[in-house]
C-alpha cells in the first residue's frame, strides 16, 4: 500500500473523498472483548492527545518528579551481612537465629584467622620437618603482626581469644597468669616445642629471665613460688587440666636450635622427629585435657597404610582465634591503656579489622615465590571485604553500558530522511530510562529496602535493557501512524496502537518480580521488590514522559529541522503531494482491495526561497484484478512512501534532489516482510521449526536432571585471587564446620538429664559428625560437669576415709574435698538450707550417672566458678549465666557454706564438628539428620535445635525447588489471567503461557548443561524469565489478534509490525547485559550475564520463530472481520487506454519530467470503531 508522507502537503484544489459506507461486522462472540479493548484504547488515545497537547509541561513535571525520587539514593543502605542476606525470612532457622541472638547477643564468641599450607607441586607431602619449618616461618610472621591505632600498639597477645582464664586471689600471680595465659591457636606446630614460639605473652619475676612459653615449665615454676604464696588451688587446677610441662616437654622440630629446651625428648639425640607419627591423632594446646586439636583440623589430604598409620598429608592448617569486637571492648573498657582515647566498640572493631588485614598480607608474603610450599591466608575481614567489593557499584561499567546503549539507540533510529529520523528521540529515551531506573532505586531506598550485590551489580543493566524495549516499540509505532491521522492526534494514535502491549509487558514484568518474592531469601526478595518497583517507574516514564518527547520531536519534524541538531534546518527536506483515491467523475474504484499499476509522471523544481525540492505527481493509473496469491500479493508488493516512486532523469542539469543510499532503504521491517515471513510461513519451514523446538525441549528436559543445588563461596569470590585460592584449598582439604546443638528453655534441665545425654548420643551418631578420639570423653558441658562432680566426690570420699574431713570440719581436706563437702550439705530449702546428715547418705552423681535434681543448679554454680578451663572447653554459653561464687577453704562461716543456685537455664549448647560436606546433598543429609534428632528429643520434652553456618545457609535447599515450582506455577497462572484480561482472548493467552513455560524449562535445562547450580539467584532469574519472556511474545500475539485475514497472513503481518521493535529490544537488552561480562566476579558472569543472555536469546527465538508458527497453525480467529457490500454504482472504466484507468494529465510537462511505473495496493476501509485501531484489511478469507 502506498503511504504518503504524514506531513506532506495536499494541492489547494484537493477535496477529500467521501468515506465508504461499507459496514464493519464483528464476530458475535467477540463483540464484548473488542468493545472492552476499544474502551481501553480510547483511554490511551485520550492520554496521548493530552500529553501531546501539554508536552512541555508533562516533560518538565516528569523530570522533576523522577529527579526528586532519584535523590533517595543518598539514603540507600547496602547490606553485606551474610545472615541478613541469605537466611530465610520467617523460617525456622530465622526464628532460631533470633533466639540465639536474644540470649547471647549479636556476635560470635570469637573470629577465626586461618593459614593453609600446600605444596607448590600438586599433591606433594607436607609431613616433613622442612615443610613444618616453612609453616612455622609463615605462622610466626603472622603472629608477630602489630598495628598502631589511636596512639597504641596492638599485637596478638592483646586481641587474641583466651579460653578459661582462672581467677586467682593472689594479685601478683593473677597478673602474671593474665600476661602468660596463651592464646587459642589451633596449629600442627603444637605437637612440637616450636608451637610455643607463636605465644607472645611474657612475665617477669625477680632473679629470673623473662618467663615465656618457650622456657616455661609450669610444674617447676609452682615449686619455686610455693614458699612465697599459697598456690594449692592453682596447682590442682593445672593438674586437672593436665598441663604438665606444657611446651618444653615436647620434641623440637629443629633439635639444633640453641633454644631447644633440655627437657625436649630429642634434645640429646639431636634427631629430627617423625612428623607423621607426632601429628597422628592430632595435637594438644598447653592443656592436654581441654585443648585437643583433632587431626582433621590440622591435616588435609591424608593417606594411611593398611594398619591405619598416617603416612602423608597434602595440607596443613593453623587457626588463630581473636576476640569479637564486643569482647575486646569489654576487655579494655576502664583499662589504663585506653582511658585517654574514648574507647568504644567501633574502635575495637577497627583495631581487629586492621590487624586481620595486616595478618593476611604478611602471611601471604612470608614465603618467597620460589619456595616449595604455598601459604594461603584468610580472615573474617577478608570475607567482609569481598562482600563489600561485591556490593559496590562499578561506575565505569554503568557509564560504559549506558553510553553503549545511547550509541545503539541513536544509530538504529537515525534515518537518511530527516523527517523520519529519530536519533535524538533514541538518545532522550535511553537517558529517560536511566533516570527512571535511578528514581526507582531511590524510591526503594526511601521505602527502606536495603541494597545488595544483586541490586548494585545487575539491576541497573537489566532494568535498562528491559526499559529501552518499550522505547523502541513506541518510537517505531509513532513513525508508522496511519497516513490520514490528524497532527494533534498522532501521539494518541500511537498509544492507542501500542499502549496495550506496553501495559501488558510491564504489568507482567512487575507481577513476575513480585512473584519472585515467594523465594524466602532476603537478598533475592529485596532484589525482586526493587526490580518490580524499577519496572513500574520505567512504565510510568514510557507512558507519560516519553510521549512528550515524541511530541516535541514531531514539532521538529514538522518544521523540517535536522535530527539531533534541531537548531538547524534540513537541507534535504522534500514536500511530496499525497496520492489519494478520488472520485473519477461518474466512475468509482471498486470497493475492496485492488492492485493499481501507476505510471507516475513527475516534474520537480527547486524553490529559491526555501531551498526545498518540490515534487508534483500527476498519476496515471489503471485497474487490475487481484492476484491469485493473496499472501504473496500482500507481502511481496513494494510498499513505502510516495517518494519511493520518484526518479530524476539523467541530464546535464545539476540534481536538486537528495537521493538516499540503497542500503538506507533496507530495514528490519522490510526484511521481515519480504524475506523472513514468507520463508518462515512455508509448510516445510514450519515443520522444521516445530521439530527443532521439540528437540530443544527434549534436550532441556534431560539437562534439567543435571542441575545440582548449591552455591559455594568459591563461586562468588573472583577466580585467580588469593582469596579464591584459599577457599578452594579449604573446600578440598578442610571441609569442616563448627556447629552446636542448642537446648532452649521451657523444660527442666535437672529432671531431663537422661534425655539430654540421649540427644547428644543420637546427634553424635550422625554420619557427618566428626567423632572424638576414642581416648577422649565427649566435649560437652554436661559431661564435663558430671566428670568434675565425680572427681570432687572421689576426693571427698578419700578425705572422709582418711579423717581429713569430718562432719564438722573440712579445713584439713583437699580443695576438691572441701567443695564436695559444701555441695553435699545443700538442701535447696531456703528455710533449712544445710543438712550435715547428707554427707554420708547422698552422692553428687548417682549410680545411673545422673546429678540429683535438687543439687543440679547449685552444683552448676560451683562448677562454673571452679573449673574455668572445663567451662571454656565445653563452649556451653549458659544463659542466664550462673552467679560468681568464690570458694575459700578456710572460711567456715555460714555464708560461705551457702551456695546460690543458678537460675533455670534458657540456653546451653553442645559443640560438634561436621566433616565430609562437599556437595549440597551432603549438607542436606546432615541437616535432615540433625532435625530428626531434635524432633526425637522434642518428643522426650527437650527443646533443641541445631545452629551453625550449614543450617543458616544450606537449609534453604530443603524447600528451594518447592518454592521455585510454586512461584513458577502461580506466575504462569497470573500471566494467563493478565493476558486473557488485557488481550480479552484466553486462546491467545494460553498459547503465550505455553511458550513461556517452554522457555523456562529450556532455560533450566541449559543451566544444567552449563554447570550452573540451582540456588536462590538462578531461581529468581527463572521466575523473572516468565515476565521478561512476555516482552518477546505479547507484541506478536497482539498483532496477530488484531489483524484480519488467514492465519498465515495475520502471522506475517504481525511479524512485519513487531519484528523490528522486538529485535531492537533484544539487542538493547543484550547491550545492557554486556557490561556484566566485564565484572571481576565470575559469579556475576556465570549466574547473571550468561543466564540472562541465554534467556534473551531464547525469548527472541520463541517470540519470532516458534510463536508465529504456532499462531499460523493454532491461532484464534480475528476479533474483527471487515465485510464490504458491493455498490451497485461500480462502473467499468470507459475506453481505457493501455488496459488501465487514467486520470487527467496536464498537456505539458517541464524538462525535468521522469516516468516511474510501480504496483501498489489500495484498500478501502470502512469507518473503524470509535477509539479503536484496526490493522489493514485482507483480501484473503479467514
Amino acid at each position: 500500500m502506498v503511504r504518503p508522507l504524514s506531513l506532506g502537503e495536499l494541492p489547494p484544489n484537493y477535496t477529500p473523498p467521501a468515506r465508504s459506507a461499507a459496514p464493519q461486522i464483528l464476530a458475535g462472540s467477540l463483540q464484548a472483548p473488542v468493545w472492552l479493548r476499544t474502551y481501553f484504547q480510547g483511554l490511551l488515545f485520550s492520554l496521548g492527545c493530552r500529553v501531546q497537547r501539554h508536552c512541555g509541561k508533562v516533560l518538565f513535571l516528569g523530570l522533576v518528579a523522577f529527579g526528586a525520587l532519584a535523590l533517595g539514593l543518598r539514603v540507600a543502605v547496602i547490606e553485606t551481612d551474610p545472615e541478613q542476606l541469605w537466611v530465610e525470612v520467617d523460617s525456622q532457622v530465622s526464628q532460631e537465629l533470633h533466639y540465639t541472638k536474644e540470649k547471647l547477643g549479636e556476635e560470635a564468641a570469637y573470629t577465626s584467622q586461618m593459614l593453609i599450607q600446600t605444596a607448590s607441586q600438586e599433591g606433594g607431602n607436607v609431613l616433613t620437618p622442612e615443610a613444618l619449618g616453612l609453616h612455622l616461618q609463615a605462622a610466626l610472621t603472622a603472629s608477630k603482626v602489630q598495628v598502631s591505632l589511636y596512639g597504641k600498639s596492638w599485637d596478638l597477645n592483646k586481641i587474641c581469644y583466651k579460653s578459661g582464664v582462672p581467677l586467682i586471689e593472689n594479685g601478683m600471680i593473677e597478673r602474671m597468669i593474665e600476661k602468660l595465659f596463651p592464646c587459642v591457636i589451633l596449629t600442627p606446630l603444637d605437637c612440637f616445642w616450636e608451637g610455643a614460639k607463636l605465644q607472645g605473652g611474657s612475665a617477669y619475676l625477680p632473679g629470673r629471665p623473662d618467663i615465656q612459653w618457650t622456657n616455661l615449665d609450669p610444674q617447676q615454676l609452682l615449686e619455686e613460688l610455693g614458699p612465697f604464696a599459697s598456690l594449692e588451688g592453682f596447682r590442682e587446677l593445672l593438674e586437672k587440666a593436665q598441663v604438665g610441662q606444657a611446651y618444653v616437654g615436647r620434641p623440637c622440630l629443629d633439635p639444633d636450635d640453641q633454644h631447644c629446651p633440655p627437657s625436649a625428648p630429642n634434645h640429646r639425640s639431636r634427631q629430627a622427629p617423625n612428623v607423621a607419627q607426632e601429628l597422628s591423632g592430632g595435637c594438644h594446646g598447653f592443656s592436654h585435657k581441654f585443648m585437643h586439636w583433632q587431626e582433621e583440623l590440622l591435616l588435609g589430604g591424608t593417606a594411611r597404610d593398611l594398619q591405619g598409620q598416617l603416612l602423608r598429608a597434602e595440607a596443613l592448617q593453623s587457626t588463630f582465634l581473636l576476640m569479637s569486637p564486643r569482647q575486646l571492648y569489654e576487655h579494655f573498657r576502664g583499662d589504663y591503656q585506653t582511658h585517654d582515647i574514648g574507647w568504644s566498640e567501633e574502635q575495637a572493631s577497627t583495631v581487629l579489622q586492621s590487624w586481620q588485614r595486616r595478618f593476611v598480607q604478611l602471611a601471604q608474603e612470608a614465603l618467597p615465590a620460589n619456595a616449595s610450599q604455598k601459604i594461603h591466608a584468610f580472615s573474617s575481614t577478608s570475607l567482609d571485604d569481598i562482600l563489600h567489593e561485591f556490593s559496590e557499584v562499578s561506575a565505569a561499567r554503568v557509564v560504559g553500558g549506558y553510553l553503549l546503549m545511547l550509541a545503539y539507540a541513536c544509530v538504529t533510529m537515525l534515518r537518511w530522511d530527516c523527517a523520519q529520523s529519530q536519533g535524538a528521540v533514541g538518545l532522550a529515551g535511553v537517558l529517560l530510562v536511566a533516570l527512571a531506573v535511578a528514581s526507582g532505586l531511590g524510591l526503594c531506598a526511601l521505602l527502606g529496602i536495603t541494597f545488595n550485590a544483586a541490586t548494585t551489580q545487575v539491576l541497573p543493566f537489566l532494568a535498562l535493557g528491559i526499559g529501552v524495549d518499550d522505547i523502541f516499540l513506541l518510537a517505531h509505532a509513532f513513525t508508522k501512524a496511519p497516513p490520514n491521522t490528524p497532527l494533534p492526534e498522532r501521539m494518541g494514535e500511537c498509544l492507542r496502537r501500542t499502549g496495550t502491549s506496553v501495559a501488558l509487558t510491564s504489568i507482567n514484568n512487575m507481577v513476575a518480580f513480585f512473584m519472585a518474592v515467594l523465594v524466602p531469601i532476603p537478598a533475592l526478595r529485596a532484589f525482586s521488590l526493587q526490580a518490580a518497583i524499577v519496572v513500574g517507574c520505567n512504565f510510568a516514564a514510557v507512558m507519560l514522559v516519553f510521549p512528550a518527547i515524541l511530541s516535541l520531536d514531531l514539532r521538529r519534524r514538522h518544521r523540517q529541522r535536522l535530527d539531533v541538531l534541531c537548531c538547524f534546518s534540513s537541507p534535504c527536506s522534500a514536500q511530496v503531494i499525497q496520492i489519494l483515491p478520488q472520485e473519477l467523475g461518474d466512475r468509482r474504484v471498486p470497493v475492496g482491495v485492488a492492485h493499481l499499476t501507476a505510471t507516475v509522471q513527475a516534474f520537480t523544481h527547486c524553490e529559491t526561497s526555501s531551498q526545498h525540492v518540490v515534487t508534483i505527481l500527476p498519476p496515471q493509473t489503471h485497474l487490475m484484478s487481484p492476484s491469485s496469491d493473496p499472501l504473496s500479493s500482500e507481502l511481496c508488493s513494494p510498499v513505502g512512501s510516495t517518494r519511493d516512486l520518484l526518479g530524476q532523469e539523467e541530464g546535464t542539469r545539476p540534481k536538486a534532489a537528495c537521493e538516499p543510499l540503497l542500503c538506507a532503504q533496507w530495514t528490519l521491517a522490510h526484511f521481515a516482510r519480504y524475506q523472513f515471513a514468507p520463508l518462515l510461513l512455508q509448510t516445510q519451514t514450519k515443520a522444521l521449526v516445530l521439530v527443532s523446538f521439540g528437540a530443544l525441549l527434549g534436550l532441556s528436559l534431560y539437562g534439567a536432571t543435571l542441575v545440582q543445588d548449591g552455591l559455594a563461596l568459591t563461586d562468588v569470590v573472583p577466580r585467580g585471587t588469593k582469596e579464591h585460592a584459599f577457599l578452594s584449598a579449604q573446600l578440598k582439604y578442610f571441609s569442616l564446620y563448627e556447629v552446636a546443638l542448642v537446648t532452649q528453655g521451657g523444660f527442666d534441665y535437672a529432671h531431663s538429664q537422661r534425655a539430654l545425654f540421649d540427644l547428644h548420643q543420637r546427634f553424635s551418631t550422625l554420619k557427618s559428625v566428626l567423632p572424638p578420639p576414642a581416648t577422649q570423653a565427649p566435649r560437652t558441658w554436661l559431661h564435663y560437669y558430671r566428670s568434675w562432680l565425680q572427681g570432687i566426690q572421689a576426693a571427698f570420699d578419700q578425705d572422709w576415709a582418711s579423717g581429713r574431713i569430718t562432719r564438722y570440719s573440712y579445713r584439713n581436706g583437699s580443695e576438691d574435698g572441701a567443695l564436695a563437702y559444701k555441695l553435699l550439705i545443700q538442701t535447696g530449702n531456703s528455710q533449712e538450707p544445710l543438712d550435715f546428715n547428707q554427707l554420708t547418705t547422698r552422692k553428687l552423681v548417682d549410680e545411673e550417672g545422673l546429678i540429683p535434681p535438687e543439687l543440679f543448679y547449685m552444683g552448676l554454680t560451683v562448677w562454673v566458678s571452679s573449673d574455668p578451663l572445663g567451662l571454656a572447653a565445653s563452649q556451653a554459653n549458659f544463659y542466664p549465666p550462673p552467679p560468681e561464687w568464690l570458694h575459700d577453704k578456710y572460711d567456715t562461716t555460714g555464708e560461705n557454706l551457702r551456695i546460690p543456685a543458678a537460675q533455670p537455664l534458657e540456653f546451653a549448647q553442645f559443640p560438634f564438628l561436621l566433616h565430609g560436606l562437599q556437595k549440597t546433598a551432603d549438607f542436606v543429609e546432615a541437616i535432615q539428620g540433625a532435625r530428626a534428632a531434635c524432633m526425637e528429643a522434642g518428643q522426650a520434652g527437650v527443646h533443641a535445635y541445631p545452629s551453625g553456618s550449614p543450617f543458616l545457609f544450606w537449609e534453604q535447599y530443603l524447600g528451594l525447588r518447592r518454592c521455585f515450582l510454586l512461584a513458577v506455577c502461580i506466575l504462569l497462572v497470573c500471566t494467563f489471567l493478565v493476558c486473557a484480561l488485557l488481550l480479552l482472548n484466553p486462546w491467545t493467552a494460553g498459547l503465550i503461557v505455553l511458550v513461556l513455560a517452554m522457555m523456562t524449562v529450556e532455560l533450566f535445562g541449559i543451566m544444567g548443561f552449563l554447570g550452573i547450580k540451582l540456588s536462590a539467584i538462578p531461581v529468581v532469574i527463572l521466575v523473572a524469565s516468565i515476565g521478561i519472556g512476555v516482552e518477546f511474545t505479547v507484541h506478536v500475539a497482539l498483532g496477530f489478534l488484531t489483524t484480519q485475514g488467514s492465519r498465515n497472513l495475520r502471522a506475517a503481518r504481525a511479524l512485519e509490525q513487531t519484528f523490528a521493535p522486538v529485535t531492537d529490544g533484544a539487542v538493547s537488552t543484550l547491550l545492557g547485559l554486556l557490561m556484566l561480562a566485564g565484572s571481576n566476579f565470575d559469579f556475576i558472569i556465570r549466574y547473571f550475564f550468561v543466564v540472562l543472555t541465554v534467556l534473551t536469546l531464547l525469548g527472541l527465538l520463541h517470540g519470532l520463530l516458534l510463536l508465529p508458527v504456532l499462531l499460523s497453525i493454532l491461532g484464534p480467529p480475528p476479533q474483527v472481520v471487515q465485510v464490504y457490500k458491493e455498490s451497485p454504482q461500480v462502473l467499468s472504466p470507459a475506453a481505457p487506454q493501455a488496459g488501465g484507468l487514467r486520470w487527467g494529465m496536464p498537456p505539458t510537462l517541464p524538462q525535468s519530467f521522469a516516468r516511474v511505473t510501480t504496483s501498489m495496493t489500495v484498500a478501502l476501509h470502512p469507518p473503524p470503531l470509535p477509539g479503536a485501531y484496526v490493522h489493514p484489511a485482507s483480501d484473503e478469507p479467514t
Side-chain angles (χ1 to χ4, degrees), residues 433-452:
V433 171
L435 179 61
V437 172
S439 65
L441 294 177
L443 179 58
C444 294
L446 294 174
L447 293 175
I449 303 175
T450 58
F451 288 28
N452 55 68

Side-chain angles (χ1 to χ4, degrees), residues 1-3 17-24 482-484 580-581 589-594 634 1043-1044 1053 1120 1122-1125 1161-1169 1173-1179:
M1 174 180 175
V2 177
R3 297 187 181 184
R19 289 184 179 269
S20 170
Q24 180 169 263
N484 58 345
L580 295 176
V589 178
V591 178
V593 179
E634 288 295 327
T1043 307
Q1044 304 154 42
R1053 283 180 169 167
V1120 179
Q1122 290 184 338
V1123 179
Y1124 302 97
K1125 295 182 180 179
T1161 302
V1162 178
L1164 303 183
H1165 302 277
L1169 292 173
Y1173 172 76
V1174 182
H1175 291 287
S1178 168
D1179 62 324

Side-chain angles (χ1 to χ4, degrees), residues 112-129:
S112 300
Q113 284 56 239
M114 289 164 283
L115 297 179
I116 292 180
Q117 176 179 318
T118 58
S120 298
Q121 184 177 1
E122 184 72 19
N125 183 26
V126 296
L127 297 185
T128 64

